[in-house]
Structure formats: structure tokens, C-alpha cells
């Protein structure tokens, strides 16, 4: 006998509380294997394929593509174990209801209890960590067999698939006497958030059980009623007042702040709100640094190696500068009113992608040379470009390097990547007139800007850090002291 199990959006870690459905990988009626990816979601930090811990037939999906769901909200339901039991012992191999279209049985489990263990679910959340079960070929179950499997399944979860539900009566429905027939806490919370009186809803589930679909329908009905009332009571204005008081055209485009854009907005707003930042900058002659890089990349024979980028050299200069000025490799614990100086440098670098601005992190950058840092930057940049960075690769930075020169600009006052204490910004390197050795010459000049948290240090420390970085850019031999 089949059992319908509900798979909820799991906790994807790193403090994430919601995710947006980007693409469904399965349809209702598809057969899925244990740990088969069923949906691709976008969190504030990465794109993740979510595998289902159950094997069986997909009986329902919750949420369309583009819908944002909180952690713990239902993703889909799966009918598990509707194999031989639903076909009957008299079915022949040639029968339309033969085992050729039956459901896969769940993996054996030593536990005899109900829940995930008894259904053969793996309990895994991320792709790549599973039971090792081979991925099953996606196939459809005929509607007659799917209906029979679902009909025979015992109700073991709050949300199950049912026939097309009846219209939900809101105002006209009689008020329930006694306990309200709701099992799911999520349904209660959703109704409470939208001021829906559950006692006035007619449930479409078994024995009048109120499902999430019933509440969603009631919410839509209330919103449509309110919109119709507003249209009758108020004339349609050509211009409406925006929240900030600025006039906005009625046909203005509104873009939700969610996903990567929403995460960037939240982090930058928090940085500006919490961190008393200050910025200092300096122009530096990068001619010698560019010459050193050219010599490195032109080397042949035993001294040859992978090409070294300018960003890799600047990152190595940053790690050397942070060793001299550890005050900037820190964070502020506002609750304890303490400055926390961090022992290692995990260097973030800003990368612009199609999904928006992300900051991958080079772990233990203080232990790496320029070649190693360059290789890691290249690897993380490729992952960022393809949208495959994991949340762990986007968090835990202690200092950020921002090369906005790639956009063809000279300077900027960068916003600190909260909860870090400083960020170094690098403009474009371009030929400019410069006094060199007492004479006017054309040199490769770059502007460097340092934004720092004034709580962790004073201007003297920040100025010393930036001056050391500029000296290393102008005279790369200075770095030999630390090698």
C-alpha cells in the first residue's frame, strides 16, 4: 500500500531562511529515486539543486517557478511503496497494470517506525551526499495508476494530493463549532499572517481537513475583493505616490529585492547602518609592478609557471600588509563590545556575474603565494560565472579586495562587506603624466582606496596600511622582506 510523504524545503545552512524556486526538475507523475535532484533553488548566496530523500511517484508540487518559499515549507509530495500491492496478485505481465509501470520500493531500513526511516529516505539535503542509489530514469505513471496509488495511501502528512478541490467559501461558510480541522502548523501560521478565520473555511481534504490550498484560495479571494473595492471607490490616477514621496508613473516597473540582489541590499544597508566607515586613497605608480608581472609570465624553463594576474599580485600584497597591520583583519562583536582580531586571512574578492555581485573567498590566503592565490581566484571566478558557488565559498571572509578598475573607472569609495573591518578598492591602471626621478614621464598609474571601520583603528593605522600597499605596488622588491 502506498504512503504519501511530504518533502519540505530543507535547511540549506549558512543561516539561510528562504529560497526561490528557479526550475523544477520533475513533473507530477514522474518516478524519482532516492536523492534524485527534484528542484533547483536560488538562495541569497548560491544556486542549489535539492535532492528528494524519498523514492516514489511525485504526486504534487508546491510553488511555481519564481516563488519564494521559507525553509520548512512543503516542496512536493511523493507516493512511496505503491508497487506490487496496488497491482494485485492476478495481474499478468501483459496487463496494463503490470509491474512494468509500478513504483519503485523504498530501500530497506532496520527501523520499523514510521517517518523517513521507514520510507527509505536518506535524510540528505545537498547533491553529492547520498545513499549511492542509482538515479532512476524519469518516467510517467499513467493517471489511472497514480489515482489508485494516491487513493490507497494513508494520510501520513499534513498536505496530500486530492481531487480538484471545491470552491472555498469565506463569508458564506458556516462557522465551525469545536476544534478547527487543521493539522499543519504552516497552514495555521499562513492563515494568521493574512487574517484568515479558519473557522469559516470549508476544508477540501479528507474529513474536511483544511489544506494550504484552501488558505491560499481564501487569500486570493480576499485580495481580489479588496482590489475590486479599491477600483470602485478610488479613481485611477495617472501618477501614484511612491513610498519615498517621489512621484512614480503608474506603469513603473517594480523589481522584487530577493535572491542575490536582496542579499546584497540587506548586507550593504546593514554595513552603512552599523559601521562608522571612513575612506582614504592614494595614487600609485604601478609601472614596476606591471614590469615584474610581465617578467614572471615571460619566464621559460624551470622558472616558468602559470600566468600570474594583477589581481593575484595585489591580493598577495594585501596579505603582506595585513600581517603588518592586523588591526584591519578584524571584526566587531557589538553584543560584547569587543574588537575580534582574526588569526588568518580569508580574502574575499568582488566578482560581477549575471546573477549580480558576489564575493567568493580565498581561504587561508596568508599561507599562499601569488601563484596559488591566482589559481584559486581563477577557480572561484569560473564557479561564480556558472552559478555553482556553494554558500560556504561565499562566506567567512575577513578582508575584501575590490577591483572596480575592470569597469573602466579610476576611483570609488567602497562599502565594507559586513562584518569585515576594511576593503581595498583598486581603480584602472592607465598611462598618466607622472614625476619620476625628478622628470616628467608617462607612467602606469593606479588609484587605491581603503574604506575601514573606524571602530577597529584610527587613521594612522589605515594610512599606514594603504601606504605600505602603495609602496609594494611602486617597488615590488619591498615584498622580498616578507618572503
Amino acid at each position: 500500500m502506498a504512503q504519501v510523504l511530504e518533502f519540505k524545503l530543507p535547511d540549506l545552512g549558512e543561516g539561510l531562511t528562504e529560497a526561490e524556486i528557479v526550475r523544477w526538475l520533475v513533473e507530477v507523475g514522474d518516478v524519482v529515486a532516492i536523492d534524485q535532484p527534484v528542484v533547483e533553488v536560488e538562495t541569497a548566496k548560491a544556486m542549489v539543486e535539492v535532492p528528494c530523500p524519498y523514492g516514489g511517484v511525485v504526486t504534487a508540487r508546491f510553488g511555481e517557478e519564481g516563488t519564494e518559499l521559507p525553509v520548512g515549507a512543503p516542496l512536493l509530495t511523493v507516493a512511496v511503496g505503491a508497487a506490487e500491492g496496488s497491482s494485485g496478485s492476478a495481474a499478468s505481465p501483459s496487463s496494463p497494470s503490470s509491474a512494468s509501470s509500478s513504483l519503485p520500493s523504498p530501500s530497506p531500513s532496520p527501523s520499523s517506525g514510521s517517518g523517513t526511516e521507514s520510507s527509505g529516505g536518506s535524510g540528505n539535503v545537498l547533491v553529492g551526499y547520498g545513499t549511492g542509489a542509482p538515479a532512476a530514469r524519469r518516467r510517467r505513471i499513467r493517471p489511472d495508476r497514480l489515482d489508485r496509488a494516491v487513493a490507497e495511501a494513508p494520510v501520513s502528512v499534513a498536505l496530500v494530493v486530492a481531487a480538484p478541490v471545491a470552491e472555498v467559501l469565506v463569508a458564506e461558510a458556516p462557522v465551525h463549532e469545536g476544534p478547527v480541522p487543521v493539522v499543519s502548523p504552516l497552514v495555521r501560521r499562513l492563515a494568521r499572517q493574512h487574517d484568515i478565520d479558519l473557522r469559516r473555511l470549508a476544508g477540501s481534504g479528507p474529513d474536511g481537513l483544511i489544506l494550504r490550498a484552501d488558505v491560499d484560495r481564501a487569500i486570493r479571494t480576499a485580495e481580489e475583493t479588496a482590489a475590486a473595492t479599491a477600483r470602485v471607490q478610488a479613481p485611477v490616477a495617472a501618477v501614484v505616490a511612491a513610498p519615498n514621496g517621489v512621484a512614480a508613473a503608474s506603469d513603473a516597473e517594480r523589481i522584487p529585492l530577493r535572491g542575490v540582489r536582496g542579499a546584497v541590499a540587506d548586507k550593504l544597508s546593514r554595513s552603512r547602518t552599523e559601521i562608522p566607515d571612513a575612506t582614504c586613497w592614494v595614487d600609485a605608480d604601478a609601472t614596476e609592478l606591471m614590469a615584474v608581472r610581465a617578467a614572471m609570465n615571460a619566464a621559460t624553463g624551470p622558472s616558468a609557471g602559470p600566468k600570474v594576474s594583477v589581481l593575484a599580485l595585489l591580493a598577495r600584497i594585501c596579505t603582506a600588509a595585513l600581517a603588518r597591520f592586523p588591526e584591519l583583519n578584524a571584526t566587531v562583536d557589538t553584543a560584547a563590545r569587543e574588537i575580534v582580531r582574526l588569526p588568518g586571512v580569508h580574502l574575499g574578492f568582488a566578482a560581477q556575474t549575471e546573477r549580480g555581485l558576489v564575493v567568493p573567498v580565498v581561504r587561508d590566503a596568508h599561507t599562499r603565494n601569488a601563484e596559488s592565490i591566482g589559481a584559486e581566484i581563477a577557480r572561484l571566478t569560473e564557479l561564480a560565472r556558472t552559478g555553482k558557488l556553494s554558500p560556504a565559498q561565499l562566506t567567512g571572509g575577513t578582508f575584501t579586495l575590490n577591483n572596480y578598475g575592470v569597469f573602466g573607472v579610476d576611483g570609488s569609495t567602497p562599502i565594507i562587506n559586513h562584518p569585515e573591518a576594511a576593503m581595498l578598492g583598486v581603480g584602472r591602471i592607465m598611462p598618466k603624466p607622472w614625476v619620476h626621478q625628478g622628470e616628467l614621464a608617462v607612467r602606469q598609474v593606479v588609484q587605491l582606496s581603503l574604506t575601514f571601520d573606524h571602530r577597529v583603528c584610527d587613521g594612522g593605522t589605515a594610512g599606514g596600511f594603504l601606504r605600505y600597499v602603495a609602496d609594494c605596488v611602486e617597488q615590488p622588491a619591498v615584498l622580498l622582506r616578507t618572503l
Side-chain angles (χ1 to χ4, degrees), residues 105-418:
S105 299
S107 304
S109 172
S111 173
S112 60
S114 62
T116 303
E117 291 78 3
S118 63
S119 65
S122 69
N124 293 306
V125 197
L126 298 179
V127 173
Y129 300 87
T131 59
R137 179 175 60 88
R138 280 181 54 181
R139 51 194 173 95
R140 294 289 181 88
I141 296 299
R142 292 196 305 275
D144 60 330
R145 292 192 55 78
L146 178 60
D147 293 341
R148 182 165 61 254
V150 174
E152 294 175 355
V155 179
S156 61
V157 292
L159 295 177
V160 297
V161 174
V165 295
E167 289 295 322
V168 178
L169 303 179
V170 181
E172 294 80 3
V175 178
H176 285 288
E177 297 295 338
V180 179
V182 179
V183 176
S184 171
L186 179 63
V187 172
R188 291 184 180 275
R189 184 176 64 184
L190 187 64
R192 186 166 57 250
Q193 290 173 344
H194 292 83
D195 295 325
I196 300 298
D197 188 352
L198 291 173
R199 295 175 300 174
R200 294 185 176 275
L201 294 188
S204 60
D207 298 325
L209 183 69
I210 297 176
L211 307 180
R212 178 171 180 171
D214 302 327
V215 177
D216 287 340
R217 189 172 295 103
I219 294 171
R220 287 195 300 271
T221 301
E223 290 174 346
E224 290 170 359
T225 302
T229 303
R231 285 194 298 270
V232 172
Q233 294 178 347
V236 178
V239 177
V240 295
N244 58 4
V246 180
S250 59
D251 59 348
E253 181 183 8
R254 290 180 176 269
I255 303 173
L257 277 174
R258 61 189 184 192
V260 173
R261 186 73 261 157
V264 170
D266 292 342
K267 176 160 280 196
L268 296 184
S269 297
R270 184 176 182 184
S271 178
R272 277 296 193 213
T273 302
E274 293 187 9
I275 299 177
D277 58 352
T279 302
C280 53
W281 57 89
V282 66
D283 290 340
D285 180 1
T287 306
E288 294 300 325
L289 181 69
M290 301 303 289
V292 166
R293 174 177 175 263
M296 287 181 179
N297 293 337
T300 59
S303 59
K307 301 295 184 182
V308 177
S309 67
V310 175
L311 188 62
L313 291 175
L314 291 170
R316 179 64 185 89
I317 291 172
C318 281
T319 60
L322 289 171
R324 283 178 168 251
F325 300 92
E327 297 92 336
L328 294 171
N329 193 55
T331 187
V332 175
D333 186 341
T334 54
R337 294 186 59 82
E338 294 176 341
I339 297 173
V340 183
R341 291 188 183 174
L342 305 169
V345 178
H346 302 310
L347 187 69
F349 64 96
Q352 192 70 37
T353 70
E354 293 182 357
R355 296 176 60 233
L357 179 69
V358 294
V359 184
V361 177
V362 177
R363 302 287 171 186
D364 299 315
H366 61 291
T367 65
R368 299 172 181 262
N369 57 27
E371 185 176 295
S372 173
I373 292 175
E376 184 66 359
I377 287 176
R379 184 183 74 87
L380 293 172
T381 300
E382 178 61 21
L383 291 175
R385 186 186 65 81
T386 57
K388 295 181 179 178
L389 284 170
S390 67
Q393 293 168 323
L394 291 166
T395 54
T398 63
F399 185 92
T400 297
L401 176 62
N402 187 358
N403 180 22
Y404 45 75
V406 296
F407 303 118
V409 298
D410 296 327
S412 175
T413 55
I415 300 176
I416 296 173
N417 187 21
H418 185 280

